[in-house]
């Protein structure tokens, strides 16, 4: 068992919860960063609430945009590993809030790198959550050799973070790397992302709570994996001899429309009876096709995905159905 400390930003998000479970299982102390909110914390922390009794799990309040809070928290905890998962992670939203997105997704990681440097944390390893969105218009298969061509404020800010992480690695000899992760989903996926929006709506329609699901571009193709598989790759990347960037993907691509078909057929529903297109959900520019080539990670890290497209769709639909049925039973 490890007696290391990991500092994880984005603890209230999908990946923060799976990564915390993995690290606690390995014996780490996990310090999770949560930003202040005037609202209830209970709901935001629901995916990690089962970890709260664990003495090795600590929540700290802070914000990656506030360099003072990053410097102070890293000085206090002196972590062995820092995983920067915090982001404004919705690509569509980044067109509506480009400045906020850039502050969080570009300046935020820089604040953390500077906090490591200023505190002389020479042995601290840094993981940056990079993304397949960096490839933008360059159609797949995308590997570590594929050039970047971002097409959203989200991806432009993430490209800055990707580059500045490599710059700190080269300039200060830091163990700093980026995982270029393709879309990964789970029952804990935020409800505004397309997979979860679809599985939740199908479950609601099945139970008679909803009639219509409105979506945008059904033609976009995505390489969808399971978040639980992907957080293992993050840990592997920080536990090598040398820091390197890796692609993490399934090597399969599917249209958004195929995900709809798969989930609606699980629910025994006809897509044409319930799904409508609303231009409101289109983006000014959408990434057309993502298909990752993660052979380098498979070869060098020994990483392999376990959950495929159909299993993922079923896992998410069944989890949403169960949540809604439990809610209905509680209200009866
Ligand atoms: P989520 O959107 O579920 O989680 C994002 C987290 O970041 C939330 O906990 C959010 O907190 C936190 N956060 C946002 N702004 C700040 C801030 N200023 N200071 C501190 N915390 C902040 O994302 P995922 O878990 O899905 O993704 C994790 C990371 O991986 C993100 O960086 C994302 O861009 C990246 N990524 C995700 C992929 C995916 O398919 N899931 C693929 C490739 C990359 P709050 O609750 O307060 O909003
Ligand atoms: P993405 O995920 O943009 O790939 O970013 P999202 O689920 O938001 O969109 C996937 C595709 O579905 C199309 N789409 C819709 N999307 C949403 N959200 N809502 C809709 O109603 C809808 N209808 C169609 C989108 O246009 C797009 O083509 C995710 C995030 O997790 C990023 O943080 C991460 O970096 C990338 O994956 C890899």
């Amino acid at each position: 068992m490890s007696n290391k400390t990991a500092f994880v930003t984005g603890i209230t998000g999908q990946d923060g919860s799976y990564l915390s479970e993995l690290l606690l299982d390995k014996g780490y102390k996990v310090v999770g960063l949560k930003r202040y909110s005037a609202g209830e914390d209970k709901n935001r922390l629901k995916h990690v609430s089962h970890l709260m009794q664990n003495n090795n799990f600590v929540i700290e309040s802070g914000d990656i945009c506030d360099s003072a809070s990053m410097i102070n928290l890293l000085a206090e905890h002196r972590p062995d590993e820092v995983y920067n998962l915090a982001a404004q992670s919705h690509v569509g939203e980044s067109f509506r809030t480009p400045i906020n997105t850039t502050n969080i997704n570009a300046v935020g990681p820089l604040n953390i790198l500077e906090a490591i440097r200023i505190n002389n944390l020479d042995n601290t390893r840094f993981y940056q959550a990079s993304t397949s969105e960096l490839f933008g218009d360059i159609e797949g298969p995308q590997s570590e050799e594929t050039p970047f061509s971002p097409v959203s404020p989200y991806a432009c800010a993430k490209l800055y973070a990707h580059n500045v992480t490599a710059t700190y690695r080269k300039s200060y000899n830091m163990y700093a790397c980026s995982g270029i992760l393709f879309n990964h989903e789970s029952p804990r996926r935020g409800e505004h992302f397309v997979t979860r929006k679809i599985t939740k709506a199908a479950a609601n329609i099945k139970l008679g709570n909803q009639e219509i699901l409105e979506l945008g571009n059904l033609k976009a193709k995505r390489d969808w994996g399971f978040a639980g598989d992907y957080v293992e790759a993050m840990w592997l990347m920080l536990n090598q001899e040398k820091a390197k960037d890796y692609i993490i993907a399934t090597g399969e691509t599917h249209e958004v429309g195929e995900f709809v078909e798969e989930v609606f057929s699980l629910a025994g529903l006809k897509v044409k009876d319930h799904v409508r297109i609303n231009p409101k959900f289109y983006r000014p520019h959408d990434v057309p096709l993502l298909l990752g080539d993660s052979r380098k990670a498979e070869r060098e890290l020994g990483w392999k995905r376990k959950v495929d497209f159909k299993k993922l769709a079923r896992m998410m639909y069944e989890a949403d159905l169960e949540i809604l049925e439990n809610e209905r039973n509680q209200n009866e």
Side-chain angles (χ1 to χ4, degrees):
M1 290 296 261
S2 164
N3 55 3
K4 289 182 183 169
T5 298
F7 186 84
V8 180
T9 72
I11 203 75
T12 59
Q14 170 186 259
D15 291 6
S17 66
Y18 285 106
L19 181 65
S20 298
E21 287 167 2
L22 178 86
L23 295 171
L24 289 168
D25 271 356
K26 289 185 184 295
Y28 280 65
K29 174 182 175 186
V30 174
V31 181
L33 183 79
K34 175 186 70 62
R35 61 179 166 169
Y36 171 76
S37 156
E40 268 272 329
D41 276 340
K42 206 169 150 231
N43 200 34
R44 293 169 67 227
L45 288 167
K46 64 176 184 252
H47 301 313
V48 287
S49 58
H50 60 296
L51 306 176
M52 295 297 200
Q53 307 310 321
N54 189 325
N55 289 335
N56 282 334
F57 186 67
V58 178
I59 295 280
E60 289 280 15
S61 183
D63 194 307
I64 63 165
C65 293
D66 185 305
S67 60
S69 84
M70 288 302 99
I71 292 167
N72 290 333
L73 285 170
L74 292 195
E76 184 185 338
H77 292 284
R78 304 188 71 78
D80 300 281
E81 295 169 13
V82 175
Y83 295 85
N84 180 36
L85 309 183
Q88 190 304 89
S89 76
H90 198 286
V91 177
E93 179 63 18
S94 79
F95 286 97
R96 293 182 282 273
T97 59
I99 316 267
N100 184 46
T101 301
T102 303
N103 281 334
I104 299 173
N105 295 5
V107 181
L110 179 59
N111 283 332
I112 302 174
L113 286 162
E114 272 296 281
I116 294 172
R117 192 185 68 79
I118 289 167
N119 283 313
N120 296 315
L121 298 176
D122 298 338
N123 295 318
T124 297
R125 297 182 167 202
F126 177 75
Y127 174 87
Q128 168 59 19
S130 273
T131 163
S132 48
E133 285 290 303
L134 299 183
F135 298 115
D137 274 342
I138 313 277
E139 294 204 351
Q142 292 106 351
S143 73
E144 289 82 0
E145 312 308 322
T146 307
F148 297 134
S149 176
V151 297
S152 66
Y154 168 84
C156 291
K158 283 281 186 178
L159 181 54
Y160 174 83
H162 185 91
N163 285 336
V164 83
T165 299
T167 300
Y168 272 57
R169 176 168 71 223
K170 291 175 202 152
S171 309
Y172 301 116
N173 202 24
M174 263 188 198
Y175 192 113
C177 62
S178 297
I180 307 170
L181 272 52
F182 283 57
N183 297 55
H184 45 278
E185 320 291 311
S186 73
R188 301 178 193 171
R189 186 54 141 154
E191 292 176 11
H192 296 295
F193 298 93
V194 80
T195 52
R196 185 76 200 286
K197 186 174 165 183
I198 293 164
T199 57
K200 189 167 182 199
N204 263 317
I205 295 168
K206 179 80 180 167
L207 296 178
N209 303 333
Q210 180 177 340
E211 185 61 28
I212 298 297
L213 164 64
E214 290 190 333
L215 293 168
N217 181 11
L218 300 187
K219 294 282 172 213
K221 289 184 152 185
R222 290 291 181 272
D223 178 331
W224 280 298
F226 170 52
D229 290 346
Y230 284 41
V231 297
E232 279 182 34
M234 298 176 185
W235 178 78
L236 284 166
M237 277 183 233
L238 281 202
N239 284 277
Q240 302 301 311
E241 267 180 33
K242 229 176 137 199
K244 286 190 212 167
D245 301 337
Y246 290 93
I247 299 267
I248 301 296
T250 69
E252 253 184 65
T253 192
H254 297 272
E255 283 189 1
V256 173
E258 281 177 76
F259 194 87
V260 179
E261 290 285 352
E262 182 66 28
V263 171
F264 274 61
S265 97
L266 287 171
L269 299 167
K270 287 204 176 84
V271 173
K272 69 174 174 40
D273 293 342
H274 301 284
V275 175
R276 304 284 178 268
I277 299 301
N278 185 339
K280 181 176 123 181
F281 296 110
Y282 272 80
R283 294 166 186 176
H285 194 149
D286 203 6
V287 169
L289 193 164
L290 292 172
L291 171 62
D293 173 354
S294 57
R295 280 177 297 178
K296 181 179 164 192
E298 289 173 18
R299 209 172 47 242
E300 297 186 7
L301 304 177
W303 178 83
K304 191 115 188 90
R305 68 95 185 252
K306 299 182 191 86
V307 176
D308 68 9
F309 177 77
K310 280 180 183 284
K311 199 165 163 189
L312 179 66
R314 179 178 287 278
M315 177 202 292
M316 292 178 70
Y317 170 68
E318 287 179 349
D320 272 323
L321 195 60
E322 193 182 330
I323 294 170
L324 292 170
E325 281 173 340
N326 286 342
E327 277 173 16
R328 188 179 60 183
N329 293 340
Q330 273 163 17
N331 293 334
E332 271 173 10

